[in-house]
Amino acid sequence: MKVSWIFIGLVLVQCASVSNSKIGAVDPKEKPKPTSIVKPTNIVLVIGDGMGLAQVSAYMYNVEGKIAFERCKFIGLHKSHAANNLITDSAAGASAFSIGEKTNNAYVGVDVNGKSHETILEEASRKGLATGVVVSSTIVHATPAAFIAHNVSRDAYEEIALDIVDSGCDLLIGGGQKYFTRRSDSLDLIQKFKSKNYFVTDYFNSDYSSLVIPSSQKLLFFTADGDPLPYSQGRDYMIKASLDALQFLDKRNDKAFFLMVEGSQIDWGGHANDVNYVISEMTEFNLMLNKILDWAEKDGNTLVIITGDHETGGLSINPGSVRGKLTTQFTTTGHSGVMIPVYAFGPGAVNFTGIYENTELYLMMKKILFK
Ligand SMILES: [Zn+2]
């Protein structure tokens, strides 16, 4: 009996010393670590509209060497379906990324009940982070609209344009000037942007390649009156625009930034069942992606996430294909329901592995951007 009490006493002393070492006692040999994070991580979300694994593969087998995507060591898959349809459109697909809600097809920046939700870009802007959107479609198109507007109809371009005035977005580059300047309500949205300290110009006034962005203002640059040209027909602003955006947003303040870049027309090639259109758009996307990854690598504090909102065309690469000469087939002129790869590069990239809903991207980005 006496021995047992001594044993229990010893155990208690042992426990006390273990818990002491955990909560209080400082080992003199262990110096306190300096706080390493001085600035939250910037996020660049690069969306290939309609870009599934087949689109990336078709491009990859048409070129020699490694493609930009292979620089990403952390890869996941997202489930792209909408709230009301297994096959999502770009509106619901992008809204999952921007507001973290599965919503109905055609809805941008609103939930299934049509209720507006603050988007990740709008929240970033409200919190003083720099924000930007660079697209190869119009800036009122479904994907950008999901980040800077709220509507139950992706086709309500004039209403979407009006929302963009108040989005707070620091940099907007893309087509669709007519929805801002020749409106059925006769409103002059350009004056509204100018009164909010935007430098507003367009392809007609200056070629994008010679544009110098005034650092003291926000930027709205229209690259086309309607849809920008396909890459194969001379569209050439995306690479410079995405690099300009990175530099501009990085210098804007000492907080992090959020940039959404979209290769919009990969989707249009899929709808047209035109594999050359798809591959040509992927060529530009890959060039741009390499530049973005170079910039992020040098910066060291920028997370780049590359994904599609859905796949378009049900593209397959068939037997008989050889590198440089593919035998391809489309199964639809619409979108398909396959899971979509997510490639991540930079600080926090490890979080993007696994299989998850597309809405998870919003949650993970938010955690990193607003930590
Ligand atoms: Zn589409």
Side-chain angles (χ1 to χ4, degrees):
M1 195 65 172
K2 205 175 177 184
V3 174
S4 299
W5 278 114
I6 290 166
F7 175 73
I8 290 167
L10 276 173
V11 169
L12 285 173
V13 167
Q14 193 90 18
C15 288
S17 82
V18 166
S19 75
N20 263 349
S21 73
K22 269 187 187 161
I23 50 167
V26 176
D27 182 345
K29 280 178 276 178
E30 263 185 39
K31 285 183 186 161
K33 285 181 185 156
T35 314
S36 57
I37 296 163
V38 288
K39 185 182 164 184
T41 306
N42 306 313
I43 293 186
V44 186
L45 176 61
V46 189
I47 300 174
D49 200 310
M51 186 182 74
L53 210 43
Q55 282 73 11
V56 178
S57 307
Y59 170 69
M60 184 180 70
Y61 287 133
N62 257 279
V63 293
E64 296 295 330
K66 291 199 169 188
I67 59 172
F69 298 81
E70 293 175 76
R71 295 171 66 179
C72 304
K73 301 299 174 213
F74 299 100
I75 296 164
L77 292 166
H78 78 67
K79 303 177 194 178
S80 65
H81 64 90
N84 66 341
N85 200 320
L86 190 69
I87 314 300
T88 190
D89 73 348
S90 295
S95 295
F97 306 153
S98 68
I99 66 169
E101 292 264 337
K102 290 272 187 190
T103 192
N104 296 336
N105 281 349
Y107 285 23
V108 288
V110 296
D111 65 20
V112 287
N113 300 312
K115 184 174 170 280
S116 293
H117 286 240
E118 186 175 49
T119 72
I120 188 165
L121 188 148
E122 289 166 337
E123 183 176 353
S125 181
R126 177 171 58 78
K127 291 180 173 170
L129 282 72
T131 54
V133 165
V134 176
V135 293
S136 51
S137 61
T138 67
I139 60 172
V140 294
H141 208 253
T143 306
F147 288 84
I148 46 183
H150 308 271
N151 209 295
V152 291
S153 171
R154 58 180 286 173
D155 298 325
Y157 294 135
E158 290 193 356
E159 290 174 26
I160 288 168
L162 199 53
D163 276 5
I164 296 173
V165 177
D166 296 319
S167 66
C169 193
D170 295 297
L171 175 140
L172 295 152
I173 301 171
Q177 187 173 31
K178 63 183 176 184
Y179 304 109
F180 297 79
T181 54
R182 298 195 307 282
R183 298 168 54 85
S184 55
D185 58 10
S186 304
L187 279 177
D188 182 358
L189 297 195
I190 302 306
Q191 281 314 315
K192 288 185 187 291
F193 277 101
K194 284 183 175 168
S195 72
K196 288 176 181 274
N197 196 31
Y198 279 84
F199 173 64
V200 185
T201 186
D202 62 56
Y203 66 102
F204 206 72
N205 283 313
S206 69
D207 190 67
Y208 189 81
S209 61
S210 57
L211 178 74
V212 180
I213 306 175
S215 59
S216 59
Q217 287 181 279
K218 295 184 174 194
L219 175 77
L220 170 56
F221 188 98
F222 290 111
T223 57
D225 191 45
D227 293 333
L229 290 171
Y231 181 61
S232 63
Q233 291 174 29
R235 187 189 72 236
D236 60 359
Y237 66 85
M238 285 298 284
I239 296 166
K240 180 177 185 303
S242 52
L243 280 178
D244 282 353
L246 290 168
Q247 278 153 22
F248 175 81
L249 298 177
D250 192 44
K251 290 200 186 93
R252 197 137 180 92
N253 58 42
D254 56 3
K255 295 187 177 179
F257 65 77
F258 178 82
L259 171 65
M260 194 285 284
V261 178
E262 186 197 34
S264 318
Q265 298 193 27
I266 301 162
D267 174 68
W268 303 358
H271 284 294
N273 281 191
D274 180 344
V275 76
N276 292 326
Y277 193 173
V278 171
I279 289 173
S280 150
E281 292 298 319
M282 286 299 302
T283 303
E284 180 201 44
F285 192 89
N286 188 70
L287 282 168
M288 179 181 76
L289 190 53
N290 259 325
K291 297 281 185 194
I292 292 172
L293 295 178
D294 287 346
W295 191 95
E297 195 167 46
K298 206 169 157 207
D299 178 65
N301 192 42
T302 300
L303 168 67
V304 185
I305 304 153
I306 307 111
T307 192
D309 44 359
H310 54 73
E311 194 273 346
T312 306
L315 177 63
S316 64
I317 299 167
N318 284 353
S321 296
V322 291
R323 192 179 267 269
K325 200 172 186 318
L326 302 180
T327 303
T328 55
Q329 195 171 5
F330 291 94
T331 58
T332 173
T333 54
H335 301 166
S336 76
V338 292
M339 288 194 288
I340 300 297
V342 179
Y343 311 81
F345 181 97
V350 68
N351 295 296
F352 293 83
T353 58
I355 298 177
Y356 40 83
E357 295 292 345
N358 51 2
T359 47
E360 282 293 312
L361 275 169
Y362 166 84
L363 296 172
M364 293 191 283
M365 289 193 296
K366 211 171 135 132
K367 221 180 197 173
I368 292 165
L369 199 58
F370 304 129
K371 72 183 169 198

